[in-house]
């Protein structure tokens, strides 16, 4: 039944408690213990019922309880203390605001398909969303002028349920946005602001929700409004739901709608940060807007749009990239191409390696639309350069323009309350204010062993108690007998070595690797003197049958009578379960096939709480690992090092059991007369001292800001000078160079004698070069030289620029270089010609390279 009228009803708070509403509507409470405690103190049962959502809490709590709290001097004192701290936080001058040269003009739009800020806002599925949430929180902490841009999913990601035989099923629940910590954006007349996008034959409208995240905002687009058809209202129903056509509509809304939103907010020209290819259509909207405003051609506007964007790829496999058929792109962008005066084939070329029958890749579009591209760990950067080398076929692998910024975590969001108090006492405020300081984190070693161990034992006990409650509730959902429920309430051991494993259940993550030799594992973990227990959690994508099979196998193993008290699977994985696990486990297990984990951050969260990492050398652990902070499974092997996947899995499963038997279990149970595992505690301290100052989002954000956002901002401003004259020149220059590049060639190359070379001997190299109609100042001629490998090829050489010694006439030039830093052994060199222009992005420069061997 449609209502005759709709209106908002707000809680009636006593005057002393009125600002609880303001605190509830700023997501800073997600990382501030004192603020969260204000709401949990009201009614702990209700706090759990509303999934830790203070807005829903205030809307549901009994009026008598509010009146009682207003008359409770202790509560009012706590509230006033939090409010003073909150006001100081908003008024203080963070790191970036002290950088006067950029702080007034730079704005960043941070685009992500999902945001994991709190479990009470389930618009995330996993790692990408949680990283995006931590990115926003650290942006607030250090004052980065950043705005999150995403979608408000009416049903979010699925809730995980199980059949009686352990098969995952998905359920979707409508989210009540009016009970979330966010508000609709309205204009001066209190009318909601609408953003429109063009879809075939119609416009689709989205209202905008704003969630405050400390000093910054997250904006979410929502199409579930009466202005749209029933079908278009579903665009923002499910995260990663629906078919390809639904996905392209969502990505048009996120990218193009997100750019329109920035413009509506007065932030036109903001640097945009595209996370994955989901938002790559943003560049197309920027181009269209620039063309309409500034009388630019498509390719001139492209240079501006490109200069204002950075792209972070989060996947190391092409199978994880969004692809759309040419038919679908034509359907949704034919009209766009007419408006910007390009052919559909020209648009297609921006999303393909070659403009043929291959599908349109959102990652390739994002690369073409970005000033800079990066992976999310050093290893992922290497993998990405190999993965996308076909876009720069003549480039040296080390020069492929994809760098890396290793992910981090927002530590206050993931630390237990007890660990926070410990850090406050022994590290002081510096661990929050300067989380990237090694000097600060080295003070972890000053914490008395007994205090650190007691805190950790407390958290393990809470994890076990939580797991028992969750498992019992899970059994009730399955309508199992009361006897089974009672058994669930007594599983696990609060003093046993506890291994945590929680993540998306995709095949490459190998969730059952530890169970590969079940009989051997049983012998290891059921030792009554040195018991071990494994707590697992995670979801499989609804369409991933292999992932669901993995979960079912674990579910079945957890019912084995010998394993029942040692293996527990927690259903419906979310951020709350993740916190209990990383705060309470002793060992964090991670078993991806190298190099398929782009980064991973769960192990960083566990390490900050004192857990030790036990992982394959993939993602971030490949950078962090050494023997004094954790354990490595395998030794950087990949599939080509084995005869089969079976052999690979067998070897690494054996490695897991061997390390448990020989190193991990003995270290944990090696106790002195005081029952203290001193060797284990020392490993905990080493791990925290080394991991925490590096693998945090404050360090990560400063890298993004100084190495990506600011250079992009500077490039954009330069191209816009003098009514976009530099952008116009650059577009014309690129077109001219590309049209004449095939005519260049090397005519002759020679050098001084090289028969008696020493390491520091001079070798003078000369080259006669024909440049056709290209000016010499528009290219660099370079020597690539160094030691040869076993195949007599240059592999890790150096580059040296050659200088024009003489113009020979008829567009011919003599170039010279003197090289004198050789390596002992067999050396060699070759030459190349590469474009050179002041404003040319490296991603464009590397596309046109002419090597000496191309001259025939």
């Amino acid at each position: 039944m449609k209502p005759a009228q709709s209106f908002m009803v707000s809680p009636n708070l006593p005057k002393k408690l009125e600002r609880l509403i303001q605190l509830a509507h700023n997501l800073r409470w997600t990382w501030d213990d004192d603020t969260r405690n204000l709401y949990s103190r009201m009614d702990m049962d209700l706090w759990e019922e509303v999934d830790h959502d203070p807005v829903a809490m205030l809307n549901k709590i009994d009026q008598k309880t509010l009146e009682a709290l207003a008359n409770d001097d202790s509560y009012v004192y706590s509230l006033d203390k939090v409010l003073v701290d909150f006001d100081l936080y908003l008024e203080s001058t963070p790191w970036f605001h002290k950088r006067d040269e950029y702080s007034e003009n730079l704005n960043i739009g941070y685009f992500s398909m999902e945001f994991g800020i709190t479990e009470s806002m389930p618009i995330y599925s996993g790692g990408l969303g949680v990283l995006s949430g931590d990115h926003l929180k650290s942006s607030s902490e250090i004052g980065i002028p950043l705005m999150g841009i995403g979608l408000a999913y009416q049903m979010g990601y699925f809730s995980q349920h199980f059949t009686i035989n352990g098969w995952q099923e998905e359920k979707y629940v409508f989210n009540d946005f009016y009970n979330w910590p966010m508000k609709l954006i309205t204009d001066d007349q209190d009318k909601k602001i609408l953003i429109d996008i063009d879809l075939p034959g119609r416009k689709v409208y989205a209202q905008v929700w704003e969630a405050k995240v400390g000093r910054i905002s997250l904006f979410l687009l929502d199409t579930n409004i009466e202005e749209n058809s029933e079908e278009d209202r579903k665009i923002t129903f499910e995260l990663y739901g629906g078919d390809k056509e639904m996905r392209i509509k969502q990505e048009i809304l996120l990218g193009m709608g997100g750019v329109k939103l920035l413009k509506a907010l007065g932030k036109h020209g903001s640097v945009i940060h595209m996370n994955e290819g989901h938002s790559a259509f943003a560049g197309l909207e920027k181009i269209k807007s620039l063309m309409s405003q500034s009388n630019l051609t498509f390719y001139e506007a492209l240079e501006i749009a490109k200069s204002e964007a950075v792209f972070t790829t989060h996947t190391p496999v092409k199978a994880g990239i969004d692809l759309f058929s040419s038919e679908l792109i034509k359907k949704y962008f034919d009209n766009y191409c007419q408006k910007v005066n390009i052919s559909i084939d020209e648009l297609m070329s921006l999303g393909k390696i070659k403009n043929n029958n291959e599908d349109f890749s959102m990652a390739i579009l994002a690369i073409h639309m970005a000033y800079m591209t990066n992976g999310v760990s050093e290893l992922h950067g290497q993998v990405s350069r190999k993965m996308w080398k076909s876009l720069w076929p003549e480039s040296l692998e080390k020069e492929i323009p994809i760098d890396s910024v290793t992910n981090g975590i927002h530590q206050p969001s993931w630390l237990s309350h007890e660990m926070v108090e410990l850090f406050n006492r022994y590290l002081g405020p510096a661990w929050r204010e300067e989380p990237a300081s090694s000097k600060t984190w080295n003070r972890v070693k000053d914490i008395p062993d007994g205090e650190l161990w007691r805190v950790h034992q407390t958290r393990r006990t809470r994890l076990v108690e939580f797991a028992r409650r969750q498992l019992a509730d899970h059994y009730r959902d399955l309508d199992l007998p009361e006897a089974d429920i009672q058994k669930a309430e007594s599983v696990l051991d609060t003093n046993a070595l506890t291994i945590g494993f929680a993540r998306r259940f995709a095949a490459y993550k190998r969730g059952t690797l530890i169970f590969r030799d079940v009989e051997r594992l049983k012998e290891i973990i059921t030792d009554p003197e040195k018991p071990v227990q494994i707590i697992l959690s995670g979801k499989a994508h609804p369409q991933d049958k292999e992932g669901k099979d993995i979960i079912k196998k674990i579910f079945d193993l957890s019912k084995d009578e010998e394993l029942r008290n040692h293996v527990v699977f927690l259903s419906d994985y979310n951020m709350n379960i993740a916190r209990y696990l990383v705060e309470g486990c002793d060992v964090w297990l991670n078993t991806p096939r190298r190099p398929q984990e782009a980064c991973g951050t769960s192990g960083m969260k566990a390490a900050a709480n004192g857990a030790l990492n036990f992982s394959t050398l993939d993602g971030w652990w490949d950078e962090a690992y050494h023997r004094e902070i954790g354990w490595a499974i395998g030794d950087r092997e990949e599939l080509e090092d084995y005869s089969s996947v079976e052999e690979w899995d067998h070897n690494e499963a054996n490695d897991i059991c061997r390390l448990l038997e020989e190193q991990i279990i003995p270290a944990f149970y090696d106790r002195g007369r005081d029952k203290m595992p001193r060797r284990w505690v020392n490993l905990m301290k080493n791990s925290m001292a080394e991991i925490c100052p590096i693998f945090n989002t404050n360090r990560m954000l400063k890298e993004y800001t100084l190495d990506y956002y600011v250079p992009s901002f500077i490039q954009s401003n330069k191209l816009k000078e003098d009514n976009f004259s530099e952008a116009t020149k650059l577009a014309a220059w690129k077109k001219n160079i590309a049209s004449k590049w095939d005519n260049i060639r090397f005519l002759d190359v020679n050098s001084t004698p090289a028969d008696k070379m020493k390491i520091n001997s001079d070798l003078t190299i000369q080259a006669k070069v024909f440049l056709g109609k290209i000016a010499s100042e528009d290219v660099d001629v370079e020597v690539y030289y160094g030691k040869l490998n076993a195949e007599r090829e240059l592999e890790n050489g150096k580059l040296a620029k050659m200088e024009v010694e003489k113009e020979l006439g008829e567009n011919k030039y003599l170039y010279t270089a003197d090289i004198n830093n050789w390596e002992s052994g067999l050396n060699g060199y070759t030459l190349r010609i590469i474009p050179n222009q002041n404003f040319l992005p490296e991603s464009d420069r590397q596309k046109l390279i002419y090597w000496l061997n191309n001259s025939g």
Side-chain angles (χ1 to χ4, degrees):
M1 181 69 68
K2 292 281 187 182
Q5 183 182 1
S6 61
F7 46 85
M8 276 294 299
V9 178
S10 301
N12 183 24
L13 293 181
K15 189 168 184 61
K16 290 182 181 179
L17 307 184
E18 280 180 343
R19 290 192 68 190
L20 280 170
I21 295 178
Q22 181 187 6
L23 292 175
H25 277 91
N26 191 310
L27 286 157
R28 181 174 175 266
W29 56 260
T30 62
W31 70 89
D32 186 74
D33 278 342
D34 292 338
T35 309
R36 281 199 306 275
N37 288 341
L38 289 174
Y39 299 99
S40 62
R41 279 176 63 182
M42 289 178 165
D43 184 331
M44 181 58 77
D45 290 337
L46 181 58
W47 179 242
E48 295 297 326
E49 181 186 319
V50 297
D51 288 328
H52 310 146
D53 179 354
V55 175
M57 183 90 177
L58 293 176
N59 286 340
K60 290 188 174 185
I61 199 164
D62 185 77
Q63 192 67 34
K64 290 180 181 178
T65 302
L66 291 174
E67 296 294 342
L69 290 169
N71 292 310
D72 182 338
D73 290 342
S74 172
Y75 187 86
V76 173
Y77 173 79
S78 298
L79 172 58
D80 290 343
K81 186 173 178 290
V82 166
L83 287 169
V84 169
D85 185 56
F86 177 74
D87 292 338
L88 285 173
Y89 177 85
L90 295 182
E91 294 165 5
S92 62
T93 304
W95 170 78
F96 188 76
H97 291 186
K98 298 172 185 175
R99 305 183 68 84
D100 294 335
E101 67 270 39
Y102 308 123
S103 60
E104 290 186 7
N105 300 311
L106 175 63
N107 289 290
I108 302 108
Y110 182 86
F111 287 65
S112 181
M113 200 74 169
E114 49 177 302
F115 286 91
I117 298 176
T118 167
E119 61 272 17
S120 60
M121 294 176 66
I123 52 172
Y124 64 94
S125 72
L128 175 64
V130 173
L131 175 70
S132 298
D134 280 10
H135 197 109
L136 298 190
K137 293 171 184 177
S138 274
S139 295
S140 169
E141 297 280 77
I142 60 178
I144 307 299
L146 181 144
M147 298 154 284
I149 306 292
L151 304 182
Y153 300 103
Q154 194 69 69
M155 296 192 295
Y157 203 51
F158 69 88
S159 177
Q160 182 189 50
H161 295 265
F162 287 92
T163 64
I164 194 71
N165 63 354
W167 188 254
Q168 174 185 293
E169 292 185 334
E170 299 80 37
K171 293 184 180 179
Y172 292 88
V173 179
F174 263 64
N175 293 315
D176 181 3
F177 295 158
Y178 292 95
N179 269 313
W180 280 14
M182 60 187 195
K183 294 182 178 178
L184 273 176
I185 298 292
T186 57
D187 60 20
D188 294 338
Q189 283 74 47
D190 205 32
K191 292 183 178 179
K192 63 185 179 185
I193 289 177
L194 293 180
I195 303 300
D196 65 84
I197 57 167
D198 293 316
L199 293 184
R202 67 198 188 279
K203 282 191 180 293
V204 173
Y205 299 90
Q207 62 185 4
V208 185
W209 297 89
E210 179 183 16
K212 298 295 291 183
V213 186
R215 298 181 177 97
I216 68 171
S217 292
L218 166 64
F219 297 98
L220 301 171
L221 295 161
D222 173 14
T223 64
N224 188 20
I225 53 177
E226 59 188 11
E227 287 83 356
N228 293 325
S229 68
E230 198 66 35
E231 185 62 27
D232 289 335
R233 293 178 72 157
K234 295 177 182 177
I235 293 175
T236 55
F237 267 26
E238 296 178 26
L239 171 60
Y240 303 138
D243 56 12
K244 287 281 188 181
E245 188 147 11
M246 178 58 74
R247 180 63 68 86
I248 198 172
K249 288 188 284 189
Q250 287 186 332
E251 297 189 1
I252 289 170
L253 176 64
L254 175 63
M256 305 184 85
V259 169
K260 286 192 169 187
L261 171 58
L262 288 173
K263 186 177 179 182
L265 295 171
K267 307 296 183 182
H268 183 64
S270 299
V271 172
I272 63 171
H273 186 167
M274 300 177 287
N275 283 278
E276 284 295 21
H278 304 137
S279 55
F281 292 136
L284 299 181
E285 179 59 37
K286 278 209 166 196
I287 290 170
K288 182 160 70 78
S289 178
L290 284 161
M291 290 178 69
S292 65
Q293 291 178 359
S294 307
N295 196 30
L296 298 171
T297 67
F298 179 88
Y299 291 102
E300 291 166 348
L302 170 61
E303 298 304 329
I304 301 292
K306 182 169 184 167
S307 73
E308 291 179 345
V310 297
F311 169 49
T312 297
T313 173
H314 295 263
T315 180
V317 289
K318 288 191 176 181
I321 302 298
D322 276 346
L323 300 174
F324 296 118
S325 67
S326 296
E327 291 72 25
L328 210 51
I329 294 295
K330 287 176 183 177
K331 177 178 178 179
Y332 281 88
F333 286 94
D334 253 339
N335 188 50
Y336 173 89
C337 290
Q338 293 174 26
K339 287 182 178 180
V340 298
N341 198 28
I342 61 170
S343 68
I344 192 68
D345 285 341
E346 288 176 278
L347 179 66
M348 293 284 191
S349 69
L350 294 172
K352 298 185 178 186
I353 296 172
K354 297 178 180 177
N355 197 11
N356 52 22
N357 293 328
E358 65 187 276
D359 284 338
F360 186 92
S361 165
M362 293 300 287
I364 293 176
L365 176 63
I367 290 170
H368 285 151
M369 287 287 166
Y371 182 52
M372 289 182 285
T373 296
N374 72 281
V376 290
S377 68
E378 290 178 7
L379 180 59
H380 183 227
Q382 296 170 24
V383 170
S384 296
R385 287 189 285 277
K386 291 177 182 176
M387 183 172 163
W388 298 113
K389 180 170 174 54
S390 53
L391 289 172
W392 300 277
E394 298 298 328
S395 286
L396 300 171
E397 189 171 294
K398 66 181 181 181
E399 284 193 299
I400 290 172
I402 301 176
D403 210 329
S404 65
V405 177
T406 301
N407 287 341
I409 62 164
H410 182 251
Q411 289 155 344
S413 293
W414 297 102
L415 285 167
S416 71
H417 176 71
E418 293 83 359
M419 196 64 78
V420 166
E421 289 185 340
L422 203 60
F423 288 166
N424 287 341
R425 190 155 62 248
Y426 289 98
L427 279 61
W431 76 269
R432 284 181 179 272
E433 296 166 2
E434 299 176 35
S437 166
S438 293
K439 181 180 178 182
T440 296
W441 286 106
N442 269 328
R443 292 171 64 185
V444 164
K445 295 176 182 178
D446 297 332
I447 300 173
D449 289 358
E451 285 198 56
L452 179 58
W453 187 242
R454 279 192 296 275
V455 162
H456 186 64
Q457 283 184 306
T458 298
R459 290 311 312 180
R460 189 193 314 112
T461 297
R462 291 193 182 168
L463 168 59
V464 168
E465 291 171 346
F466 174 78
R468 289 169 176 168
R469 291 195 303 271
Q470 291 290 110
L471 189 61
D473 288 343
H474 174 49
Y475 282 8
R476 289 187 186 96
D477 288 343
L478 293 175
D479 201 25
L480 293 182
E482 186 61 32
D484 289 342
I485 294 171
Q486 289 178 3
K487 286 181 181 179
E489 291 172 338
S490 62
V491 298
L492 305 175
D493 179 344
T494 58
N495 294 309
L497 171 61
T498 303
I499 299 173
F501 182 98
R503 50 195 35 87
R504 180 169 59 89
F505 275 86
Y508 80 88
K509 294 179 183 283
R510 297 188 295 183
T512 55
L513 189 65
I514 192 172
F515 301 107
R516 185 176 176 87
D517 187 342
V518 173
E519 294 309 312
R520 183 179 178 186
L521 184 68
K522 283 180 180 180
E523 288 183 19
I524 294 171
I525 71 176
T526 60
D527 182 341
E529 299 299 319
K530 297 177 181 179
V532 179
Q533 55 202 17
I534 309 167
I535 306 177
L536 307 97
S537 189
K539 297 177 178 179
H541 188 278
Q543 297 172 6
D544 183 2
K545 183 181 181 298
E546 190 173 6
K548 290 183 178 182
D549 284 334
I550 292 170
I551 293 176
K552 185 183 184 315
K553 185 174 181 180
I554 295 170
F555 188 89
D556 291 342
L557 285 167
S558 71
K559 294 191 294 183
D560 181 286
E561 193 56 36
E562 292 179 79
L563 294 176
R564 185 180 60 78
N565 286 314
H566 297 268
V567 177
V568 168
F569 186 91
L570 302 180
S571 63
D572 206 20
Y573 184 50
N574 63 12
M575 291 178 70
N576 188 44
I577 292 175
R579 271 194 299 274
Y580 272 98
L581 281 164
V582 298
E583 290 173 7
C585 68
D586 300 295
V587 171
W588 194 256
L589 178 66
N590 192 23
T591 53
R593 297 189 190 281
R594 176 186 167 100
Q596 295 186 39
E597 184 91 292
C599 181
T601 58
S602 58
M604 304 173 194
K605 297 160 191 162
N609 284 284
L612 300 176
N613 277 274
F614 182 26
S615 173
T616 51
L617 289 166
D618 201 4
W620 76 281
W621 190 235
D622 185 62
E623 297 171 41
Y625 167 72
H626 66 80
R627 293 183 179 183
E628 296 303 314
I629 64 170
W631 297 274
I633 301 165
D635 188 22
R636 296 187 170 88
E637 296 98 343
E638 297 180 17
L639 181 57
E640 56 265 29
D641 298 310
Y642 293 97
S643 60
S644 67
V645 169
E646 281 292 309
E647 183 190 7
W648 188 7
D649 288 353
H650 172 80
N651 280 15
E652 294 198 341
N654 181 65
D655 216 21
I656 291 173
C657 290
R658 179 185 61 81
L659 287 166
L660 283 171
E661 292 171 322
E662 297 176 3
Q663 297 184 31
I664 298 173
I665 296 173
F668 183 83
Y669 285 106
D670 180 11
R671 313 288 171 102
R673 291 180 62 188
D674 58 2
K675 308 299 183 183
M676 183 78 64
R678 300 280 179 181
R679 185 152 58 108
W680 189 272
V681 172
N682 187 55
L683 288 169
M684 290 170 65
K685 289 181 177 182
N686 289 344
S687 172
M688 287 189 282
E690 295 194 28
I691 290 172
C692 290
I694 298 172
F695 298 98
N696 63 78
T697 40
N698 281 43
R699 181 274 311 158
M700 181 187 83
L701 256 296
K702 288 183 180 181
E703 283 189 40
Y704 272 120
T705 301
L706 299 179
D707 298 339
Y708 289 80
Y709 299 156
V710 168
S712 180
F713 175 70
I714 292 171
Q715 171 82 348
S716 172
N717 284 345
K718 287 179 178 177
L719 293 181
K720 291 176 181 176
E721 287 177 0
D722 299 325
N723 197 29
F724 304 99
S725 64
E726 293 298 339
T728 302
K729 290 177 188 174
L730 178 58
W733 185 92
K734 284 171 62 176
K735 183 178 180 181
N736 179 59
I737 289 290
S739 67
K740 298 172 180 175
W741 193 256
D742 288 344
N743 294 321
I744 63 175
R745 59 187 177 273
F746 289 98
L747 300 173
D748 182 48
V749 177
N750 60 71
S751 69
T752 53
D755 53 342
K756 294 183 179 180
M757 292 284 290
K758 303 291 184 183
I759 288 176
N760 58 353
S761 295
D762 280 325
L763 185 72
T764 300
I765 302 170
Q766 291 189 323
K768 291 180 182 178
V769 179
F770 175 68
L771 295 180
K773 295 183 180 180
I774 296 176
S776 60
E777 60 266 25
D778 288 337
V779 299
D780 285 330
V781 179
E782 298 173 332
V783 182
Y784 180 54
Y785 67 98
K787 197 170 181 178
L788 305 186
N789 63 18
E791 286 75 37
R792 297 202 169 195
E793 295 176 341
L794 279 163
E795 189 171 21
N796 293 303
K798 307 179 186 76
L799 286 163
K801 184 178 177 181
M802 303 185 78
E803 301 295 336
V804 176
E805 182 174 313
K806 180 187 303 185
E807 186 172 351
L808 304 174
E810 297 180 325
N811 297 313
K812 300 173 185 177
Y813 299 85
L814 179 65
Y815 283 83
T816 302
D818 292 318
I819 310 295
N820 60 9
N821 58 333
W822 303 95
E823 294 183 59
S824 179
L826 187 63
N827 284 253
Y829 71 86
T830 188
L831 308 182
R832 74 177 188 181
I833 305 170
I834 190 167
N836 174 42
Q837 206 264 8
N838 285 341
F839 300 113
L840 186 67
E842 191 65 19
S843 58
D844 289 328
R845 182 173 181 264
Q846 290 293 328
K847 283 184 177 176
L848 293 175
I849 301 178
Y850 187 84
W851 289 95
L852 172 61
N853 56 342
N854 290 348
S855 292

